[in-house]
Structure formats: structure tokens, C-alpha cells
């Protein structure tokens, strides 16, 4: 399973944005989220594609730290997420803390819930790094997923409002009628801009690169999930409270 812990940035000097954020997550029907504590939301997901969707949605506004924990979860079907436990919850807490340490870059981290006690959560450089020779394939897969998600996240975070207007319109049309030709011309007409403006927005926004890279991030998350033992060790059985 995947646990996502997403914490609001600069909440001490900002309004509470959790209700609006949770409302926006309704567009992802397979994702189950709720406020966990304060200005933080938490979700448990079983689909790596949904994890990528939610992560990039959160990064878009620049208002959230995104932590992703991969591993086993103990959560009764009808229980609140606040009643959940397991290694993935602990890993998600570690991940959001690492995301805060990386806030000057892309504030996202992916942590394995299968790392043995005393080993690093990630072999990559930067906050939380350690010896890459630990032999934990799940840890390495999480680090690789994090690297790809950060690259995609940079494209998402650097788009202008004008580029987002074009990208959102293209995405909506592509979801309704995937593969249809002439979408850019239709979007240009609807937005009242030239075909060349749409083409420039697509090129400069990295929209095509994002959608080419998303499957790689999904695959790496799925690979990490498959490499992490589906058991909860005594050291990782708590929920990882803030």
C-alpha cells in the first residue's frame, strides 16, 4: 500500500487550506484522504497511478509538502485513517519530514516502509541519505521513484497560469476523447488565442514530457511496493505520529 502525508506549507501565516484541498482531491475517486492533524491530510492508496496524480496535484500550487510511504498497512475497511498503523504510515511521516528539508527544491519524498532498523530510508543524496550499499532493493526503488517524481514535479511547479489554461483544456479534452486529432486547434478556438500560442504553451510547459514520464514513476512505485515485505515489524508497527 501507499500512504501519503501531505502538510500545508507556511500554515502559521496562511489560512487553513485543508478543506479546499480535500475538496479538490474528489476528482481522484480511488484516493481516500482525510485531515489527520492540524493542517495535514493523509491518504491510503493501492494504485501507483493515483499516487502520482495526487502528488502532482499537490505540487502544482506550491502550498504543500508531499511525503509518500510505501509498505504494509493495518487499517480495517470502515475505520478512520487516523486508526491506521503499519510501516507505510511510519515511512510517510519520515517522507514528509524529508520533503520539508527539501523545500527549496521540489518538496516531495518517497520512503520505503521495508528498510531494516538502522539503515537509511533512502540511498539518494540530500536529506535522509546514507550508504547506497545497504542492499535494500525497495529503498533504491523508492529513491528512483522520488527522483522521477521530483523531475516531473519541477515541470508542474514552473508552469505559468497561461500555460495551465492550455494544459488543463487539453487534458480535459483528451480524457473525454483520447487520441483525437486537432485538439490544439480546438483549444485555441475555445480560449480565444492563436494556434501558435497553444503550441508554444505545450512546448514550454513540458506537458508532453510530463505524460511521457508519468508511467515511469508509476512503474517505479509499483516495483518498490513489490520489493517491500508485506509484514509489519515490531519496530514499524506504530503509526508514526507527528
Amino acid at each position: 500500500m501507499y500512504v501519503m502525508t501531505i502538510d500545508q506549507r507556511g500554515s502559521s501565516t496562511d489560512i487553513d487550506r485543508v478543506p479546499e484541498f480535500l475538496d479538490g482531491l474528489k476528482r481522484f475517486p480511488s484516493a481516500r484522504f482525510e485531515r489527520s492533524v492540524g493542517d495535514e491530510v493523509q491518504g491510503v492508496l493501492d494504485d501507483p497511478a493515483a499516487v502520482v496524480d495526487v502528488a502532482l496535484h499537490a505540487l502544482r500550487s506550491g502550498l504543500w509538502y508531499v511525503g509518500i510511504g510505501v509498505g504494509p498497512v493495518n487499517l480495517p475497511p470502515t475505520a478512520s485513517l487516523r486508526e491506521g498503523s503499519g510501516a507505510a504510515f511510519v515511512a510517510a511521516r519520515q517522507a514528509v519530514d524529508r520533503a520539508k528539508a527539501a523545500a527549496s527544491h521540489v518538496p516531495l519524498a518517497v520512503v520505503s516502509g521495508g528498510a531494516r532498523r538502522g539503515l537509511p530510508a533512502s540511498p539518494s543524496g540530500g536529506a535522509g541519505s546514507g550508504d547506497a550499499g545497504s542492499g535494500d532493493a525497495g529503498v533504491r526503488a523508492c529513491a528512483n521513484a522520488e527522483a522521477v517524481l521530483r523531475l516531473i514535479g519541477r515541470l508542474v511547479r514552473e508552469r505559468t497560469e497561461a500555460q495551465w489554461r492550455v494544459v488543463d483544456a487539453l487534458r480535459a479534452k483528451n480524457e473525454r476523447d483520447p487520441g483525437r486529432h486537432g485538439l490544439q486547434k480546438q483549444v485555441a478556438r475555445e480560449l480565444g488565442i492563436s494556434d501558435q500560442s497553444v503550441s508554444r504553451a505545450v512546448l514550454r510547459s513540458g506537458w508532453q514530457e510530463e505524460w511521457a514520464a508519468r508511467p515511469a514513476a508509476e512503474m517505479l512505485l509499483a516495483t518498490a511496493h513489490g520489493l517491500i515485505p508485506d509484514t509489519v515489524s515490531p519496530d514499524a508497527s506504530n503509526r508514526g505520529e507527528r
Side-chain angles (χ1 to χ4, degrees):
M1 299 289 284
Y2 307 92
V3 175
M4 300 186 72
T5 298
I6 303 175
D7 199 4
Q8 184 178 335
R9 302 180 69 177
S11 57
S12 61
T13 57
D14 197 1
I15 63 172
D16 180 5
R17 298 186 180 274
V18 169
E20 179 184 5
F21 184 67
L22 288 173
D23 188 60
L25 290 178
K26 292 177 182 177
R27 63 182 289 192
F28 309 113
S30 64
R32 178 186 174 192
F33 279 83
E34 61 184 54
R35 187 194 291 265
S36 52
V37 60
D39 51 14
E40 179 184 277
V41 303
Q42 199 160 54
V44 176
L45 305 88
D46 60 7
D47 179 7
V51 174
V52 173
D53 282 339
V54 172
L56 296 180
H57 174 75
L59 290 175
R60 171 174 175 168
S61 68
L63 296 172
W64 303 92
Y65 301 105
V66 180
I68 303 169
V70 186
V73 165
N74 295 328
L75 182 66
T78 60
S80 165
L81 298 182
R82 291 185 291 275
E83 300 176 54
S85 64
F89 280 99
V90 179
R93 171 61 53 211
Q94 295 172 349
V96 79
D97 288 342
R98 284 187 52 220
K100 293 175 183 179
S104 60
H105 303 287
V106 178
L108 174 146
V110 183
V111 170
S112 167
R116 298 187 298 279
R117 186 173 178 82
L119 291 180
S122 169
S124 60
S129 64
D131 179 11
S134 67
D136 190 324
V139 170
R140 291 195 296 272
C142 284
N144 290 335
E146 177 183 296
V148 174
L149 282 169
R150 284 188 174 184
L151 285 172
I152 305 172
R154 183 169 295 278
L155 293 174
V156 168
R157 280 163 54 88
E158 292 181 350
R159 284 180 189 148
T160 65
E161 286 300 318
Q163 290 168 357
W164 271 116
R165 286 179 64 216
V166 171
V167 167
D168 286 339
L170 283 170
R171 181 175 182 179
K173 285 188 171 297
N174 195 56
E175 288 176 346
R176 289 195 299 267
D177 194 2
R180 182 175 178 179
H181 295 292
L183 292 183
Q184 291 191 22
K185 290 183 179 295
Q186 293 179 39
V187 167
R189 288 195 300 270
E190 290 181 6
L191 297 181
I193 59 179
S194 67
D195 294 354
Q196 292 79 6
S197 294
V198 171
S199 296
R200 283 195 299 270
V202 170
L203 178 63
R204 294 173 182 174
S205 69
W207 185 65
Q208 293 175 332
E209 290 80 0
E210 174 196 337
W211 285 91
R214 275 174 173 254
E218 296 166 14
M219 178 189 69
L220 289 166
L221 287 170
T223 298
H225 188 276
L227 290 168
I228 295 171
D230 190 23
T231 57
V232 181
S233 70
D235 293 324
S237 60
N238 63 305
R239 183 178 176 274
E241 288 295 341
R242 193 175 182 178

Coordinates of all heavy atoms in Angstrom, one line a residue, residues 57-136:
H57 N -0.8 16.9 -8.3 CA -1.9 17.9 -7.9 C -1.5 18.7 -6.7 O -1.7 20.0 -6.7 CB -3.2 17.1 -7.6 CG -4.3 18.0 -7.1 ND1 -5.0 18.8 -8.0 CD2 -4.8 18.1 -5.9 CE1 -5.9 19.4 -7.3 NE2 -5.8 19.0 -6.0
A58 N -0.9 18.1 -5.7 CA -0.4 18.9 -4.5 C 0.7 19.8 -4.9 O 0.8 20.9 -4.4 CB 0.0 17.9 -3.4
L59 N 1.7 19.4 -5.7 CA 2.8 20.2 -6.0 C 2.5 21.4 -6.9 O 3.1 22.4 -6.9 CB 3.9 19.3 -6.7 CG 4.6 18.3 -5.9 CD1 5.5 17.4 -6.8 CD2 5.4 18.9 -4.8
R60 N 1.4 21.2 -7.6 CA 1.0 22.3 -8.6 C 0.9 23.7 -7.9 O 1.4 24.7 -8.4 CB -0.3 21.9 -9.3 CG -0.9 23.1 -10.1 CD -2.1 22.6 -10.9 NE -2.8 23.7 -11.6 CZ -3.7 23.5 -12.5 NH1 -4.1 22.3 -12.8 NH2 -4.2 24.6 -13.1
S61 N 0.3 23.7 -6.8 CA 0.0 25.0 -6.1 C 1.2 25.6 -5.4 O 1.3 26.8 -5.1 CB -1.1 24.9 -5.1 OG -0.8 24.1 -4.0
G62 N 2.2 24.7 -5.1 CA 3.3 25.2 -4.3 C 3.0 25.3 -2.8 O 3.8 25.9 -2.1
L63 N 1.9 24.8 -2.4 CA 1.4 25.1 -1.0 C 1.6 23.9 -0.1 O 1.2 23.9 1.1 CB 0.0 25.5 -1.0 CG -0.3 26.8 -1.7 CD1 -1.9 27.0 -1.8 CD2 0.3 28.0 -1.0
W64 N 2.2 22.8 -0.6 CA 2.1 21.5 0.2 C 3.5 20.8 0.2 O 4.2 20.8 -0.9 CB 1.0 20.6 -0.3 CG -0.3 21.2 -0.3 CD1 -0.9 21.9 -1.3 CD2 -1.2 21.3 0.8 NE1 -2.1 22.4 -1.0 CE2 -2.3 22.0 0.3 CE3 -1.2 20.8 2.1 CZ2 -3.4 22.2 1.2 CZ3 -2.3 21.0 2.9 CH2 -3.4 21.7 2.4
Y65 N 3.8 20.2 1.3 CA 4.9 19.2 1.3 C 4.3 17.8 1.1 O 3.3 17.5 1.7 CB 5.6 19.2 2.7 CG 6.2 20.5 3.1 CD1 5.5 21.3 4.1 CD2 7.4 21.0 2.6 CE1 6.1 22.5 4.5 CE2 7.9 22.2 3.0 CZ 7.3 22.9 4.0 OH 7.8 24.1 4.4
V66 N 4.9 17.0 0.3 CA 4.3 15.7 -0.1 C 5.3 14.6 0.4 O 6.4 14.5 -0.1 CB 4.1 15.6 -1.6 CG1 3.5 14.2 -1.9 CG2 3.2 16.7 -2.1
G67 N 4.8 13.7 1.3 CA 5.5 12.5 1.7 C 4.8 11.3 1.3 O 3.6 11.2 1.5
I68 N 5.5 10.3 0.7 CA 4.9 9.1 0.3 C 5.6 7.9 0.9 O 6.9 7.8 0.8 CB 5.1 8.9 -1.3 CG1 4.4 10.1 -2.0 CG2 4.5 7.6 -1.7 CD1 4.7 10.2 -3.5
G69 N 4.9 7.1 1.7 CA 5.4 5.9 2.3 C 4.9 4.7 1.6 O 3.7 4.6 1.3
V70 N 5.8 3.7 1.4 CA 5.5 2.5 0.6 C 5.7 1.3 1.5 O 6.8 1.1 2.1 CB 6.3 2.4 -0.6 CG1 5.8 1.2 -1.5 CG2 6.3 3.6 -1.5
G71 N 4.6 0.5 1.7 CA 4.8 -0.7 2.6 C 3.5 -1.2 3.1 O 2.4 -0.7 2.7
P72 N 3.5 -2.1 4.1 CA 2.3 -2.7 4.6 C 1.5 -1.7 5.5 O 2.1 -0.8 6.1 CB 2.8 -3.8 5.5 CG 4.2 -3.5 5.8 CD 4.7 -2.7 4.6
V73 N 0.2 -1.9 5.5 CA -0.7 -1.0 6.2 C -1.7 -1.9 7.0 O -2.2 -2.9 6.5 CB -1.5 -0.1 5.3 CG1 -2.7 0.5 6.0 CG2 -0.6 1.0 4.7
N74 N -2.0 -1.5 8.2 CA -3.0 -2.2 9.0 C -4.2 -1.2 9.1 O -4.0 -0.2 9.9 CB -2.5 -2.6 10.4 CG -1.5 -3.6 10.3 OD1 -1.5 -4.5 9.4 ND2 -0.5 -3.6 11.3
L75 N -5.3 -1.4 8.5 CA -6.4 -0.5 8.5 C -7.7 -1.2 8.2 O -8.0 -1.7 7.1 CB -6.2 0.6 7.5 CG -7.3 1.7 7.5 CD1 -7.3 2.5 8.8 CD2 -7.1 2.6 6.3
P76 N -8.6 -1.4 9.2 CA -9.9 -2.0 9.0 C -10.6 -1.3 7.9 O -10.5 0.0 7.8 CB -10.6 -1.9 10.4 CG -9.4 -1.8 11.4 CD -8.4 -1.0 10.7
P77 N -11.4 -1.9 7.1 CA -12.1 -1.3 6.0 C -12.9 -0.1 6.3 O -13.0 0.8 5.5 CB -12.9 -2.5 5.4 CG -12.2 -3.7 5.8 CD -11.7 -3.4 7.2
T78 N -13.6 -0.1 7.4 CA -14.5 1.0 7.7 C -13.9 2.0 8.7 O -14.6 2.9 9.2 CB -15.8 0.5 8.3 OG1 -15.5 -0.3 9.5 CG2 -16.5 -0.4 7.3
A79 N -12.6 1.8 9.1 CA -12.0 2.7 10.1 C -11.5 4.0 9.5 O -11.3 4.1 8.3 CB -10.8 1.9 10.7
S80 N -11.4 5.0 10.4 CA -10.8 6.2 10.0 C -9.3 6.0 9.7 O -8.7 5.1 10.3 CB -11.0 7.2 11.1 OG -10.1 8.3 11.0
L81 N -8.8 6.8 8.9 CA -7.3 6.7 8.6 C -6.5 6.9 9.8 O -5.4 6.4 10.0 CB -6.9 7.7 7.5 CG -7.6 7.5 6.1 CD1 -7.0 8.5 5.1 CD2 -7.3 6.0 5.6
R82 N -7.1 7.7 10.7 CA -6.3 8.0 12.0 C -6.2 6.8 12.9 O -5.4 6.8 13.8 CB -7.1 9.1 12.8 CG -7.0 10.5 12.1 CD -7.6 11.6 13.0 NE -9.1 11.4 13.1 CZ -9.9 11.9 12.2 NH1 -9.5 12.5 11.1 NH2 -11.2 11.7 12.3
E83 N -6.9 5.7 12.5 CA -6.8 4.5 13.3 C -5.8 3.5 12.6 O -5.5 2.4 13.1 CB -8.1 3.8 13.4 CG -9.2 4.6 14.1 CD -10.5 3.9 14.1 OE1 -10.6 2.7 14.5 OE2 -11.5 4.5 13.6
G84 N -5.2 3.9 11.5 CA -4.3 3.0 10.8 C -3.0 2.9 11.4 O -2.5 3.8 12.2
S85 N -2.3 1.8 11.1 CA -0.9 1.6 11.6 C -0.2 0.8 10.5 O -0.7 0.5 9.5 CB -0.9 0.8 12.9 OG -1.5 -0.5 12.7
G86 N 1.1 0.6 10.8 CA 1.9 -0.1 9.8 C 3.1 0.7 9.3 O 3.2 1.9 9.5
A87 N 4.0 -0.1 8.7 CA 5.3 0.5 8.3 C 5.1 1.7 7.3 O 5.9 2.6 7.2 CB 6.2 -0.6 7.7
A88 N 4.1 1.6 6.4 CA 3.9 2.6 5.4 C 3.5 4.0 6.1 O 3.9 5.0 5.6 CB 2.8 2.2 4.4
F89 N 2.8 3.9 7.2 CA 2.4 5.2 7.9 C 3.7 5.8 8.5 O 3.9 7.0 8.4 CB 1.5 4.9 9.1 CG 0.0 4.8 8.6 CD1 -0.6 3.5 8.4 CD2 -0.7 5.9 8.4 CE1 -1.9 3.4 8.0 CE2 -2.1 5.8 8.0 CZ -2.6 4.6 7.8
V90 N 4.6 5.0 9.1 CA 5.8 5.5 9.6 C 6.7 6.1 8.5 O 7.3 7.1 8.6 CB 6.6 4.3 10.3 CG1 7.9 4.9 10.9 CG2 5.7 3.8 11.5
A91 N 6.8 5.4 7.4 CA 7.6 5.8 6.2 C 7.0 7.1 5.7 O 7.8 8.0 5.3 CB 7.6 4.8 5.1
A92 N 5.7 7.3 5.6 CA 5.1 8.5 5.1 C 5.5 9.7 6.0 O 5.7 10.8 5.6 CB 3.6 8.4 5.0
R93 N 5.5 9.5 7.4 CA 5.9 10.5 8.3 C 7.4 10.9 8.0 O 7.7 12.1 8.0 CB 5.8 10.0 9.7 CG 6.4 10.9 10.8 CD 5.7 12.3 10.8 NE 4.3 12.2 10.9 CZ 3.4 13.1 10.4 NH1 3.9 14.1 9.7 NH2 2.1 12.9 10.5
Q94 N 8.3 9.9 7.8 CA 9.7 10.2 7.5 C 9.7 11.0 6.2 O 10.5 11.9 6.0 CB 10.5 8.9 7.5 CG 10.6 8.2 8.8 CD 11.2 6.8 8.6 OE1 11.4 6.3 7.5 NE2 11.5 6.2 9.8
A95 N 8.9 10.6 5.2 CA 9.0 11.2 3.9 C 8.6 12.7 3.9 O 9.2 13.5 3.3 CB 8.1 10.4 2.9
V96 N 7.5 13.0 4.7 CA 7.1 14.4 4.7 C 8.1 15.3 5.4 O 8.3 16.4 5.1 CB 5.7 14.5 5.3 CG1 5.7 14.5 6.8 CG2 5.0 15.9 4.8
D97 N 8.8 14.7 6.4 CA 9.8 15.4 7.1 C 11.0 15.7 6.1 O 11.6 16.8 6.1 CB 10.3 14.7 8.3 CG 9.3 14.7 9.5 OD1 8.4 15.6 9.4 OD2 9.4 13.8 10.4
R98 N 11.3 14.7 5.3 CA 12.4 14.9 4.3 C 12.0 15.9 3.2 O 12.8 16.7 2.7 CB 12.7 13.5 3.6 CG 13.6 12.6 4.5 CD 14.0 11.4 3.7 NE 14.6 11.8 2.5 CZ 14.5 11.2 1.3 NH1 13.7 10.1 1.2 NH2 15.1 11.6 0.3
A99 N 10.7 15.9 2.9 CA 10.2 16.8 1.9 C 10.3 18.3 2.4 O 10.7 19.2 1.7 CB 8.7 16.5 1.6
K100 N 10.1 18.5 3.7 CA 10.3 19.8 4.3 C 11.7 20.2 4.2 O 12.0 21.4 4.0 CB 9.8 19.8 5.8 CG 8.3 19.6 5.9 CD 7.9 19.5 7.3 CE 6.4 19.2 7.4 NZ 5.9 19.1 8.8
A101 N 12.7 19.3 4.4 CA 14.1 19.6 4.3 C 14.5 19.9 2.9 O 15.5 20.6 2.7 CB 14.9 18.4 4.8
A102 N 13.7 19.5 1.9 CA 14.0 19.7 0.5 C 13.1 20.8 -0.1 O 13.0 21.0 -1.3 CB 13.8 18.5 -0.3
A103 N 12.6 21.7 0.8 CA 11.6 22.7 0.4 C 12.1 23.7 -0.6 O 11.3 24.3 -1.4 CB 11.0 23.4 1.6
S104 N 13.4 23.9 -0.6 CA 14.0 24.9 -1.6 C 14.0 24.3 -3.0 O 14.3 25.0 -3.9 CB 15.4 25.3 -1.1 OG 16.3 24.2 -1.0
H105 N 13.8 23.0 -3.1 CA 13.8 22.3 -4.3 C 12.3 21.9 -4.6 O 11.4 22.7 -4.5 CB 14.7 21.1 -4.3 CG 16.1 21.5 -4.0 ND1 16.9 22.2 -4.9 CD2 16.9 21.4 -2.9 CE1 18.1 22.5 -4.4 NE2 18.1 21.9 -3.2
V106 N 12.1 20.6 -4.9 CA 10.7 20.1 -5.1 C 10.4 19.4 -3.8 O 11.0 18.3 -3.5 CB 10.6 19.2 -6.3 CG1 9.2 18.6 -6.4 CG2 10.9 19.9 -7.6
P107 N 9.4 19.8 -3.0 CA 9.2 19.3 -1.6 C 8.4 18.0 -1.6 O 7.3 17.9 -1.2 CB 8.4 20.4 -1.0 CG 7.6 21.1 -2.1 CD 8.6 21.0 -3.3
L108 N 9.1 16.9 -2.1 CA 8.4 15.6 -2.2 C 9.5 14.6 -1.9 O 10.7 14.7 -2.3 CB 7.9 15.4 -3.6 CG 7.3 14.0 -3.9 CD1 6.1 14.0 -4.9 CD2 8.4 13.0 -4.5
A109 N 9.1 13.5 -1.1 CA 10.0 12.5 -0.8 C 9.2 11.1 -0.8 O 8.0 11.1 -0.5 CB 10.7 12.7 0.5
V110 N 9.9 10.1 -1.1 CA 9.4 8.7 -1.1 C 10.2 7.9 -0.2 O 11.5 7.8 -0.5 CB 9.3 8.1 -2.5 CG1 8.6 6.7 -2.5 CG2 8.6 9.0 -3.5
V111 N 9.7 7.2 0.8 CA 10.4 6.4 1.7 C 9.9 5.0 1.8 O 8.7 4.8 1.8 CB 10.4 7.1 3.1 CG1 11.0 6.2 4.2 CG2 11.2 8.4 3.1
S112 N 10.8 4.0 1.8 CA 10.4 2.6 2.0 C 10.0 2.3 3.4 O 10.7 2.6 4.3 CB 11.6 1.8 1.5 OG 11.4 0.4 1.9
G113 N 8.9 1.6 3.5 CA 8.5 1.1 4.8 C 9.1 -0.3 5.1 O 8.7 -0.9 6.1
G114 N 10.0 -0.7 4.2 CA 10.6 -2.0 4.5 C 12.1 -2.0 4.8 O 12.8 -3.0 4.9
A115 N 12.6 -0.7 5.0 CA 14.0 -0.6 5.4 C 14.2 -1.2 6.8 O 13.5 -0.9 7.7 CB 14.4 0.9 5.4
R116 N 15.3 -1.9 7.0 CA 15.6 -2.5 8.3 C 16.0 -1.4 9.2 O 16.6 -0.4 8.9 CB 16.7 -3.6 8.1 CG 16.3 -4.7 7.3 CD 17.3 -5.8 7.3 NE 18.6 -5.4 6.8 CZ 18.9 -5.3 5.5 NH1 18.0 -5.7 4.6 NH2 20.1 -4.9 5.1
R117 N 15.8 -1.6 10.5 CA 16.1 -0.6 11.5 C 17.6 -0.3 11.5 O 18.4 -1.2 11.4 CB 15.7 -1.1 12.9 CG 15.9 -0.1 14.0 CD 15.3 -0.6 15.3 NE 15.5 0.3 16.4 CZ 14.7 1.3 16.6 NH1 13.6 1.5 15.8 NH2 14.9 2.2 17.6
G118 N 17.9 1.0 11.5 CA 19.3 1.4 11.4 C 19.9 1.7 10.1 O 21.0 2.2 9.9
L119 N 19.1 1.3 9.0 CA 19.5 1.6 7.7 C 18.9 2.8 7.2 O 17.8 3.2 7.6 CB 19.2 0.4 6.7 CG 19.9 -0.9 7.0 CD1 19.5 -2.0 6.0 CD2 21.4 -0.7 6.9
P120 N 19.5 3.5 6.2 CA 18.9 4.8 5.7 C 17.6 4.5 5.0 O 17.3 3.5 4.4 CB 20.0 5.2 4.7 CG 20.7 4.0 4.2 CD 20.7 3.1 5.4
A121 N 16.7 5.6 5.1 CA 15.5 5.5 4.4 C 15.6 5.6 2.9 O 14.8 5.2 2.1 CB 14.5 6.6 4.9
S122 N 16.7 6.3 2.4 CA 16.9 6.4 1.0 C 18.4 6.5 0.7 O 19.2 7.1 1.5 CB 16.3 7.7 0.5 OG 16.7 8.0 -0.8
P123 N 18.9 5.8 -0.3 CA 20.3 5.9 -0.7 C 20.7 7.1 -1.5 O 21.8 7.3 -1.9 CB 20.5 4.6 -1.5 CG 19.2 4.4 -2.2 CD 18.2 4.9 -1.2
S124 N 19.7 7.9 -1.8 CA 20.0 9.1 -2.7 C 20.6 10.2 -1.9 O 20.6 10.1 -0.6 CB 18.7 9.6 -3.3 OG 17.8 10.0 -2.3
G125 N 21.2 11.2 -2.5 CA 21.9 12.3 -1.8 C 20.9 13.2 -1.2 O 19.7 13.1 -1.5
G126 N 21.3 14.0 -0.3 CA 20.4 15.0 0.3 C 19.9 14.5 1.6 O 20.4 13.6 2.2
A127 N 18.9 15.2 2.1 CA 18.4 14.8 3.4 C 17.9 13.4 3.5 O 17.3 12.9 2.6 CB 17.2 15.7 3.8
G128 N 18.3 12.7 4.6 CA 17.9 11.3 4.8 C 18.8 10.3 4.0 O 18.4 9.2 3.9
S129 N 19.9 10.8 3.4 CA 20.7 9.9 2.6 C 21.6 9.1 3.5 O 21.8 9.3 4.6 CB 21.5 10.7 1.6 OG 22.4 11.5 2.2
G130 N 22.2 8.0 2.9 CA 23.1 7.2 3.6 C 23.8 6.3 2.7 O 24.0 6.6 1.5
D131 N 24.3 5.2 3.1 CA 25.1 4.2 2.4 C 24.3 3.6 1.3 O 23.3 2.8 1.6 CB 25.7 3.2 3.3 CG 26.5 2.2 2.6 OD1 26.8 2.4 1.4 OD2 26.9 1.2 3.3
A132 N 24.6 3.7 0.0 CA 23.9 3.1 -1.1 C 24.1 1.7 -1.2 O 23.4 1.0 -1.9 CB 24.3 3.8 -2.4
G133 N 25.1 1.1 -0.4 CA 25.3 -0.3 -0.5 C 24.6 -1.1 0.5 O 25.0 -2.2 0.8
S134 N 23.5 -0.6 1.0 CA 22.7 -1.4 2.0 C 22.1 -2.6 1.4 O 21.7 -3.5 2.2 CB 21.6 -0.5 2.6 OG 20.6 -0.2 1.6
G135 N 21.9 -2.7 0.1 CA 21.3 -3.9 -0.5 C 19.8 -3.9 -0.4 O 19.2 -4.9 -0.8
D136 N 19.2 -2.9 0.0 CA 17.7 -2.9 0.1 C 17.2 -2.4 -1.2 O 17.1 -1.2 -1.5 CB 17.3 -2.0 1.3 CG 15.8 -2.1 1.6 OD1 15.0 -2.3 0.7 OD2 15.5 -2.0 2.8

